[in-house]
Amino acid sequence: MCLLLAAPLAIAAERKVVNMIAERFSFVPSQVKVKVGTEVEFRISSEDTNHGFRIVEDGINEVIPKRGKGELKVVYRAERPGRYVFECSKPCGAGHTMMRGVLIVEE
């Protein structure tokens, strides 16, 4: 006897790896575009001191180690369309408030 169960298939999310550099007073790249449903893996290294990586709208706030001390990995699931600002959350000098970028999530 064969028993069949009807169940929705889980669709694996696409993953996009973004290699990013943080340095006074910028993120490179400073703009990232993805489709809704994408998992974004940010791999962020610093070219100078410790920096922060905060996605304001979603409560992500991590420390990027200073140059030579490794990288930060953050996985973010882009669940809804919009523009999501990311910024340095660790004071890093006179241009700290300009150290921002944007994650653009499209339909």
Side-chain angles (χ1 to χ4, degrees):
M1 177 178 189
C2 180
L3 179 63
L4 296 175
L5 299 175
L9 294 174
I11 298 173
E14 178 183 340
R15 180 169 280 197
K16 178 175 183 165
V17 175
V18 177
N19 293 303
M20 184 176 283
I21 303 293
E23 65 180 328
R24 293 185 182 133
F25 299 102
S26 65
F27 290 101
V28 178
S30 62
Q31 180 175 300
V32 177
K33 287 185 181 181
V34 298
K35 300 279 187 202
V36 169
T38 303
E39 283 184 355
V40 184
E41 180 178 328
F42 292 97
R43 295 179 185 173
I44 313 167
S45 58
S46 175
E47 288 295 311
D48 46 35
T49 189
N50 289 342
H51 290 285
F53 181 75
R54 174 171 49 207
I55 300 178
V56 179
E57 294 86 352
D58 288 310
I60 292 171
N61 191 4
E62 301 292 333
V63 175
I64 303 163
K66 65 183 174 181
R67 179 177 52 205
K69 299 295 182 183
E71 70 178 10
L72 171 67
K73 290 184 183 177
V74 173
V75 176
Y76 178 83
R77 184 166 173 99
E79 295 179 339
R80 57 195 183 281
R83 294 174 61 86
Y84 301 91
V85 173
F86 55 86
E87 64 186 12
C88 180
S89 58
K90 188 167 175 44
C92 57
H96 167 71
T97 58
M98 297 181 296
M99 192 169 175
R100 294 177 173 231
V102 65
L103 172 64
I104 300 168
V105 181
E106 301 173 327
E107 285 288 340

